[in-house]
Every structure is written in C-alpha cells, then in structure tokens.
Amino acid sequence: MTDGPPRGRLPLASSRDAPKFEHTKPEEVRRFMKRMDTIFTIAGIGEARDRKNKVLDYVDAQTEVEWRGFKTFKSNEAGWEDFVKEIVKSYPEALDGAGSVVVLDKICKAHTRLGTEDGPEINSFIRKFRAQATQLMEDKGVYGNGQLVQKFLKCFKPSFAELILLRALQIYGHHASAARKRHKDNKYDLDEIIEVVQLILEDAIDRDDDDFERGIERKIHKTVKVKTEQPETEETMANLQDSVMAMGKEIKSYTQTLQQTLQQEFRSMAQALSTRPSMNSITQASYNNMNQAAGSLGRCFHCWEPGHRHYNCPHMKRQVAEGKLILVDGKPRLKNGDSVPPEPTTISPKDRIELVADQKAESFYNWSTNPTSTSDIASENITFSMFTNAVRDSRDDMIERLSQEREGIREEFQAKMDELCATFISTRSTANVEEVQQHNSKDF
C-alpha cells in the first residue's frame, strides 16, 4: 500500500489531514514546506510555477498576500527550491539544523521561576530546552555547555536552583577534583543537571509540596554548615539592635525639632521681608532697560526715559539747540549728517551723542564722524560707569543701591542662621549631658 494521496491528486485544503500554515506559527514553516514538497512529489506536480500557486491554497489569507510579494514567486526563472529558501530565510523563528537562539529565549521566557509544584511544566520545559540546546551545542560558535547550564538554571526559583547545584555536588563531586578537573564556569554537563532535576522531582512525588520546600531549606543549610550562634552572642546582638533603634528614634526626634524651628524662622524672615519693596521687579526692569530696546517698554527711544516719546524728548531738543545733532526728516543725525553710532548698546542714543564730542571715545569705538574741536568738548569732567563702558547715570545708582540692600539681607539671614545653629548646639549639648548623667546613674 502506498502512503499519502493517489498520484495526480492533492488533498483538499479544507480536509483535516491536509498540511496548513498560519502566520501566527512561524516556527513551523520549514516543516510545512517539507510536507508540501512530499505531497507535490506524490501527486506528480513537478513544475515550479504549479507548486508555487498550489502551495498558497494551504496557507491563511495574510500569508498568501505576503508570499505573493516574494521576488522568487513572481519570477519564472526562480525554481521551487529558491522559493522555499527565500521563505524560510524570512522567518528567523523557524527551526534549522543549528538550532535557534530566538526559540530558546522564548522557551526560557515562557517558563520562569519553576518550583517543585510545577512538575509537568518542568518536564515540558526540559524537552523543549534540550531539543534546542543539543542543536546549538553542535554549532560551537553559538552556545557552550556552561552557558546553556546557566541559562537552564535561571528558569528555576533561586532556592530550587541552589538545591540542584548541591545535589549535583553530592552526586558528581567537586568540579576541581582529580576525577573531574573541570573549569568553574563549566562544572556540570547539561545532561547531568537535567538528571538531577528529574531525581528531585521523583523525590517530591510522594511528599507534600510545603514539606518538600522546607526540606530544601534544611538540606541547603545542612550542606553549607551554617554555624549556630551562641546564646551570649545572640544577647549581645539583641542589645546592640535595641541601642541602634533607640538612637534612631532620638535622632529622628531631634531632626523633627530642628525642622520645625527652621520652618518657624523662615516664616518669620519671610514676613519681615514682605514689608520691604520688591527687588525682583526693580532689578529685572533695570536690566531690561539696559539690554532691551526702550520702545518695547513704552519709553523714549532717544533717552530711554519714561513719560514721553522721542518726537517731544526734551533731551533731543536740547542737543539740537546745542548743535550736537540735527533732525533729518524728523530723525536725529550727527551734525555731519551721519547716523547716531549704534554702539555701545548698553547706553541710550542720547548718551552716545554726548560721547561723540569726546575724541578718545570716538577713536575707541571707531565712529565715522568729523573730528571735533576742543571747544566742542565739554569742560566738565565725565564720570564713567563701573558696570558698563558708558557715562555714569541713574542706573548705576540703582544697581549700587540694590547691591547694598542685597548684602544687608544676606548678612541679616546669616545672623539668624548663626543664632539658630547656636541654639540647636546648646540644646543638643544639654541633652547629651543629661543622657550621660542618666547612664552613669544606671548599673550596667
């Protein structure tokens, strides 16, 4: 009798025995293609184009759309083997002769924190893991035995994994012994570890899970030989723990007292400072005046002073009367017709015009104006600002006043903090003295 369908006929795609492939199970693509190759051979279908078209009857709708887009499917020159190779290559989850690291990771992810109560799951995990590990170890460049053992043990609970290693030590001996002579990272073979796991599961079959877990703990402690503490040592440790707890409570109490005191002082200082004029708005406005265009603040473009505009600026009218500037179409110009120098940007155009008469300033800023006679230079001494390369004006007075006020606030705050710290230290010292007296009065 010949197995499979008669020659020349294919099984119906809807039949139960027909091979099927779904996109949700990509790891089965190699097995599916091998079965389809066998069915096509039995049915006598040898043409590559016929096989490519027929195989789509046995896949789901999404897979059919995807496979029709393959280059080897569209090409009449590509054979059936080329088509199968391209399909399998597009599914990294598919099993191959060298094993699959992706599939092994999925197996470990699906089986985590295994315990003695998971007997059936552990057996299933062992079958899947060993199948992949055997193929991966055949390819030496993928995984070694030591790496696979570590990966295997990570899937168990820590206590269970420790018991596995202890039982392996009892059965096979130390890895550095003369009989084994193995590296510390490769103490046991994967088959040896699997055999130990199966022995432990056999021991747990006739026992209660809780009793067995307690037995694991007893075996672990017995193997590592934990030293039992003497009663005197336990009493000393208890006394030390009580002292630490008492000191912790005391420190917590002092910390809360200090925090409350600091909060009260800060509230008092905030209330005292609230009666003073706001420095932030004044300081911000002063810097805005120096660094931003005066027009954006509703001030005169010429002198940067509030209360008027440039077309009725008294300073501009005075400078025109003094011959320091002229008006061309209502715009101020130097007396030689040039524009007002754009620098320095930290002073107003009014002050720049005043400096034009200074030949040193003209040379320093490289202004393109005609040399002025010494009669045009103001006979009065010009005082320059300490903060900008410009003539001193009211803004320098404001900056100095704000700086002095800031230093005063800082000194007042420092004095308050010194007073608070002194009070805290005095309180702590008094408490220490009382504590020492109380301890001295006790009989240790």
Side-chain angles (χ1 to χ4, degrees):
M1 178 178 290
T2 303
D3 295 335
R7 180 173 294 276
R9 294 182 59 186
L10 291 174
L12 296 177
S14 58
S15 64
R16 293 171 51 186
D17 299 333
K20 298 179 179 61
F21 177 76
E22 299 177 357
H23 70 278
T24 56
K25 299 178 179 180
E27 64 277 3
E28 297 183 2
V29 64
R30 177 179 290 274
R31 181 168 176 269
F32 169 77
M33 298 304 290
K34 287 183 179 179
R35 292 189 62 190
M36 292 304 303
D37 185 73
T38 302
I39 290 175
F40 287 149
T41 301
I42 295 175
I45 301 177
E47 293 294 333
R49 173 51 56 190
D50 295 337
R51 290 191 172 195
K52 294 177 186 178
N53 293 330
K54 291 292 185 181
V55 74
L56 298 181
D57 295 337
Y58 299 88
V59 301
D60 57 17
Q62 179 175 335
T63 304
E64 179 181 356
V65 174
E66 294 174 354
W67 287 12
R68 286 185 181 276
F70 282 108
K71 182 179 179 180
T72 52
F73 180 85
K74 299 177 181 179
S75 175
N76 293 325
E77 298 178 359
W80 168 252
E81 291 78 11
D82 298 330
F83 178 62
V84 173
K85 184 177 180 180
E86 185 178 11
I87 288 178
V88 174
K89 186 178 180 181
S90 66
Y91 291 94
E93 301 88 351
L95 300 177
D96 52 28
S100 174
V101 177
V102 176
V103 174
L104 184 64
D105 291 338
K106 286 186 176 181
I107 293 173
C108 294
K109 187 176 181 181
H111 303 277
T112 58
R113 296 190 61 81
L114 298 173
T116 55
E117 70 279 4
D118 304 316
E121 184 179 354
I122 291 177
N123 290 323
S124 175
F125 166 67
I126 290 176
R127 292 194 301 269
K128 298 175 184 177
F129 190 94
R130 182 162 45 192
Q132 292 299 312
T134 302
Q135 297 177 8
L136 287 172
M137 282 191 293
E138 292 177 358
D139 185 0
K140 298 181 180 179
V142 180
Y143 263 132
N145 176 78
Q147 293 174 302
L148 290 171
V149 170
Q150 293 179 5
K151 198 175 188 67
F152 180 82
L153 292 175
K154 287 181 180 180
C155 296
F156 295 89
K157 293 180 180 179
S159 59
F160 198 180
E162 189 173 358
L163 176 63
I164 294 172
L165 293 175
L166 292 175
R167 290 291 296 273
L169 178 63
Q170 294 173 355
I171 296 174
Y172 302 107
H174 196 272
H175 67 278
S177 62
R180 295 184 64 84
K181 295 183 179 180
R182 300 179 68 106
H183 192 269
K184 62 179 182 179
D185 295 332
N186 188 24
K187 298 179 181 180
Y188 309 102
D189 292 334
L190 179 62
D191 292 337
E192 294 175 344
I193 295 297
I194 291 177
E195 183 177 357
V196 170
V197 174
Q198 292 174 342
L199 289 175
I200 295 175
L201 292 178
E202 290 177 1
D203 293 340
I205 291 177
D206 298 331
R207 301 187 187 181
D208 180 75
D209 290 339
D210 294 335
D211 293 339
F212 187 73
E213 291 291 345
R214 289 192 290 269
I216 290 178
E217 297 294 336
R218 288 195 297 271
K219 289 180 181 180
I220 291 174
H221 289 293
K222 182 178 179 181
T223 304
V224 299
K225 298 180 180 180
V226 178
K227 181 180 179 181
T228 305
E229 299 292 346
Q230 297 297 328
E232 295 81 1
T233 305
E234 295 179 355
E235 182 179 359
T236 303
M237 292 182 62
N239 292 333
L240 289 175
Q241 291 177 354
D242 293 341
S243 301
V244 170
M245 293 179 61
M247 292 176 62
K249 293 180 180 179
E250 183 180 1
I251 293 174
K252 183 177 180 181
S253 176
Y254 286 135
T255 303
Q256 292 177 351
T257 303
L258 179 60
Q259 289 179 349
Q260 293 174 358
T261 306
L262 287 174
Q263 291 175 359
Q264 183 177 0
E265 290 295 328
F266 280 130
R267 285 195 295 267
S268 300
M269 291 182 61
Q271 184 178 2
L273 292 175
S274 62
T275 59
R276 300 190 176 189
S278 175
M279 291 194 306
N280 292 335
S281 60
I282 299 176
T283 306
Q284 186 64 36
S286 64
Y287 282 108
N288 286 342
N289 290 339
M290 290 186 290
N291 298 322
Q292 297 182 1
S296 63
L297 299 177
R299 301 192 175 197
C300 175
F301 280 98
H302 187 68
C303 64
W304 290 0
E305 295 180 3
H308 63 273
R309 295 292 184 178
H310 69 282
Y311 48 79
N312 59 357
C313 178
H315 300 286
M316 182 185 295
K317 294 179 181 179
R318 175 181 57 78
Q319 290 176 337
V320 171
E322 294 175 354
K324 295 180 179 180
L325 61 83
I326 60 176
L327 295 178
V328 179
D329 296 332
K331 297 180 180 180
R333 294 288 186 270
L334 298 180
K335 58 184 178 181
N336 61 355
D338 292 340
S339 301
V340 177
E343 295 180 350
T345 58
T346 56
I347 62 175
S348 65
K350 172 183 73 70
D351 296 329
R352 296 176 211 156
I353 293 173
E354 294 293 341
L355 288 177
V356 169
D358 188 345
Q359 293 183 353
K360 293 182 179 180
E362 177 185 347
S363 175
F364 180 80
Y365 291 111
N366 196 22
W367 286 332
S368 58
T369 59
N370 293 331
T372 57
S373 61
T374 55
S375 60
D376 295 331
I377 302 176
S379 59
E380 58 184 0
N381 296 327
I382 299 177
T383 303
F384 284 87
S385 171
M386 296 178 61
F387 308 99
T388 61
N389 190 14
V391 178
R392 181 182 179 89
D393 56 15
S394 59
R395 289 168 296 172
D396 294 275
D397 298 333
M398 180 182 296
I399 293 175
E400 290 181 355
R401 180 173 59 82
L402 293 175
S403 299
Q404 294 175 358
E405 187 172 355
R406 182 187 61 184
E407 292 298 328
I409 294 175
R410 181 180 298 173
E411 293 177 358
E412 183 179 351
F413 177 76
Q414 186 63 40
K416 289 287 186 181
M417 290 299 298
D418 293 342
E419 181 182 354
L420 179 61
C421 291
T423 303
F424 173 73
I425 294 173
S426 175
T427 304
R428 185 68 180 89
S429 300
T430 304
N432 287 337
V433 172
E434 294 177 355
E435 182 180 358
V436 171
Q437 292 175 354
Q438 292 176 0
H439 280 288
N440 291 335
S441 62
K442 294 180 180 180
D443 185 11
F444 288 90

